[in-house]
Amino acid sequence: PPPANTLKANVDAHFHSDGHWGLGWIVRRTDESCIGAATKVVRARTITEAEALGFEAVMKYIERFHGL
């Protein structure tokens, strides 16, 4: 688990043969409870770019729904 009073985000991306990337993310509190998770399809050139887009989505989610 993450250190006390922090959040842990996991992001993963998977390439589809049609040129799109599927990605998923989950954010947990230190007690391992989930505060959010999602999947989406994105356009990216590399795995690094696709996962960066996933992390960006995590940050926007946290800011919008949890005011952090």
Side-chain angles (χ1 to χ4, degrees):
N5 299 317
T6 62
L7 299 174
K8 180 179 180 182
N10 293 92
V11 177
D12 193 30
H14 173 78
F15 184 71
H16 293 274
S17 60
D18 66 0
H20 289 86
W21 290 84
L23 64 87
W25 59 261
I26 186 168
V27 179
R28 294 186 190 102
R29 291 189 178 101
T30 54
D31 66 2
E32 298 186 22
S33 62
C34 176
I35 68 163
T39 61
K40 67 188 289 185
V41 175
V42 297
R43 282 287 221 187
R45 291 179 295 270
T46 66
I47 184 72
T48 302
E49 183 180 356
E51 289 190 350
L53 291 170
F55 187 68
E56 179 182 47
V58 166
M59 298 305 292
K60 287 179 179 179
Y61 174 84
I62 291 170
E63 182 178 52
R64 181 173 179 193
F65 292 105
H66 297 281
L68 303 176

